[in-house]
């Protein structure tokens, strides 16, 4: 039997809660895995239950890069089978500033709930060596949308066949609508602008894991809410947002993403049910 070719993947945001799980499950398949992040090596206590690096971490190449300065990571995309965008923000700097008392309620919320908080740069017309203006501002536009489009553009230029974007099932109550609208904008732009790439848009529910203890009660509440929403025929989705969607165990989502990269026929939008199906296929593959 011919040997199966080892895949090469690049995970932007590989030091994060979900990104680290993608790295773990890809490394378990013997793939060549590179993580890109501002820090390089993860702070393990923030994403696992231990401050010590897990055994699989030695199988990942942890690289420092700035998503908004493509020159810092462009060479690392060459020859990749898939590039994954696993970064974004739930709270903007403006909204966080209000919650932390660093900015007045009036000015902070006015910025956070404005219809747009982005710059005027056309990302698709920037020069090859041009960095992204305003990229380091922690806004939904820069982190959820512009960083993803930039990474997809760079991946396409390097002829990477597959691109994965971690989106979300829906917005969250009390969060600005731009949280989810910027993710949908990223999905639309990437799918229409780079048709030669097999793009996959994962829309998980609220991510939880026992290694982040505060996510467990929130996941329990979300499970109750999603059950109630399901009993009403999802008629409460407009009100609950992601709170009315079944939560997603973070390791399960990581497995599903790796399985999707393995299966050439998977593409487009992948909702919670599809994520669970892929994770089940990954489990069965592991049993063979």
């Amino acid at each position: 039997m011919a040997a199966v070719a080892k895949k090469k993947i690049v995970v932007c945001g590989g030091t994060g809660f979900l990104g680290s799980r993608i790295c773990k499950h890809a490394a378990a398949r013997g793939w060549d895995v590179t993580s890109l992040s501002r820090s390089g090596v993860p702070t393990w206590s923030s994403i696992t239950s231990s401050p010590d690096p897990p055994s699989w971490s030695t199988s990942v190449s942890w690289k420092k890069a700035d998503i908004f300065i493509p020159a810092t990571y462009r060479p690392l995309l060459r020859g990749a089978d898939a590039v994954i965008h696993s970064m974004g923000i739930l709270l903007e700097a403006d909204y966080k500033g209000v919650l932390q008392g660093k900015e007045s309620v009036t000015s902070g919320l006015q910025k956070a709930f404005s219809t747009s908080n982005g710059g005027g740069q056309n990302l698709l017309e920037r020069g090859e060596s041009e960095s992204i203006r305003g990229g380091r501002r922690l806004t939904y536009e820069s982190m959820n949308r512009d960083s993803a489009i930039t990474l997809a553009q760079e991946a396409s230029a390097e002829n990477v066949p597959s691109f994965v974007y971690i989106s979300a099932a829906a917005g969250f109550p009390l969060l600005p609508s731009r949280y989810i609208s910027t993710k949908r904008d990223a999905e639309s732009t990437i799918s229409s602008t780079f048709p030669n790439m097999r793009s996959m848009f994962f829309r998980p529910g609220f991510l939880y894991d026992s290694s982040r203890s505060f996510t467990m009660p929130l996941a329990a509440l979300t499970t109750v809410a999603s059950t109630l929403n399901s009993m009403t025929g999802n008629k409460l989705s407009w009100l609950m947002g992601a709170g009315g969607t079944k939560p997603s165990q973070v390791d399960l989502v990581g497995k599903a993403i790796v399985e999707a990269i393995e299966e050439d026929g998977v593409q487009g939008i992948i909702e919670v049910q599809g994520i669970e199906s892929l994770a089940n296929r990954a489990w069965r593959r592991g049993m063979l």
Side-chain angles (χ1 to χ4, degrees):
M1 180 181 296
V4 177
K6 182 169 72 171
K7 290 188 181 295
K8 174 183 177 180
I9 69 167
V10 178
V11 184
C12 185
T15 59
F17 188 42
L18 174 57
S20 60
R21 271 69 177 183
I22 299 170
C23 291
K24 177 178 78 170
H25 292 296
R29 297 196 183 201
W31 293 1
D32 181 341
V33 184
T34 297
S35 164
L36 305 179
S37 68
R38 294 284 294 278
S39 63
V41 178
T43 301
W44 291 109
S45 59
S46 70
I47 54 177
T48 69
S49 56
S50 171
D52 301 319
S55 58
W56 59 263
S57 65
T58 57
S59 300
V60 177
S61 179
W62 306 98
K63 299 292 187 180
K64 286 187 177 183
D66 187 332
I67 187 69
F68 298 107
I69 306 178
T72 64
Y73 59 86
R74 185 178 294 122
L76 299 172
L77 305 182
R78 291 169 190 157
D81 295 290
V83 170
I84 300 98
H85 182 281
S86 180
M87 57 181 290
I89 55 172
L90 188 62
L91 296 177
E92 277 190 321
D94 295 321
Y95 200 24
K96 277 187 176 179
V98 173
L99 297 179
Q100 296 169 353
K102 296 178 181 178
E103 186 167 2
S104 72
V105 173
T106 302
S107 65
L109 292 182
Q110 187 175 33
K111 293 177 186 176
F113 285 90
S114 65
T115 56
S116 178
N117 201 4
Q121 184 179 13
N122 187 328
L123 299 176
L124 302 178
E125 293 181 359
R126 67 182 175 83
E128 182 175 329
S129 60
E130 186 179 357
S131 300
I132 311 305
R133 296 194 298 272
R136 294 191 180 184
R137 293 177 60 217
L138 292 180
T139 66
Y140 294 128
E141 284 77 14
S142 65
M143 300 302 295
N144 294 352
R145 183 193 66 195
D146 295 352
S147 65
I149 294 171
T150 298
L151 185 63
Q153 186 178 28
E154 294 297 325
S156 177
E158 295 297 335
N159 298 312
V160 176
S162 299
F163 186 85
V164 175
Y165 174 63
I166 310 305
S167 187
F172 288 85
L174 304 182
L175 281 186
S177 61
R178 289 173 26 252
Y179 163 75
I180 194 64
S181 66
T182 50
K183 285 182 175 290
R184 297 295 182 258
D185 287 346
E187 293 176 5
S188 176
T189 300
I190 291 169
S191 62
S192 63
T193 308
F194 311 109
N196 292 332
M197 281 197 302
R198 176 174 67 110
S199 295
M200 292 163 274
F201 306 107
F202 279 75
R203 294 182 176 180
F206 174 74
L207 295 175
Y208 70 93
D209 187 73
S210 60
S211 63
R212 279 189 175 179
S213 57
F214 72 89
T215 66
M216 300 305 289
L218 292 173
L221 287 172
T222 305
T223 298
V224 173
S226 65
T227 301
L228 176 62
N229 188 31
S230 178
M231 291 172 62
T232 65
N234 296 321
K235 293 180 179 179
L236 298 177
S237 295
W238 67 273
L239 175 64
M240 294 181 171
T245 302
K246 184 179 179 182
S248 302
Q249 206 281 333
V250 70
D251 257 297
L252 180 147
V253 179
K255 287 180 182 179
I257 291 166
V258 171
E259 180 66 19
I261 294 170
E262 183 84 75
E263 298 186 16
D264 292 337
V266 178
Q267 63 181 30
I269 295 169
I270 303 162
E271 305 278 7
V272 172
Q273 186 175 2
I275 291 172
E276 293 178 343
S277 177
L278 283 165
N280 285 334
R281 297 209 290 269
W283 177 81
R284 291 197 296 269
R285 184 189 297 272
M287 297 297 290
L288 296 177

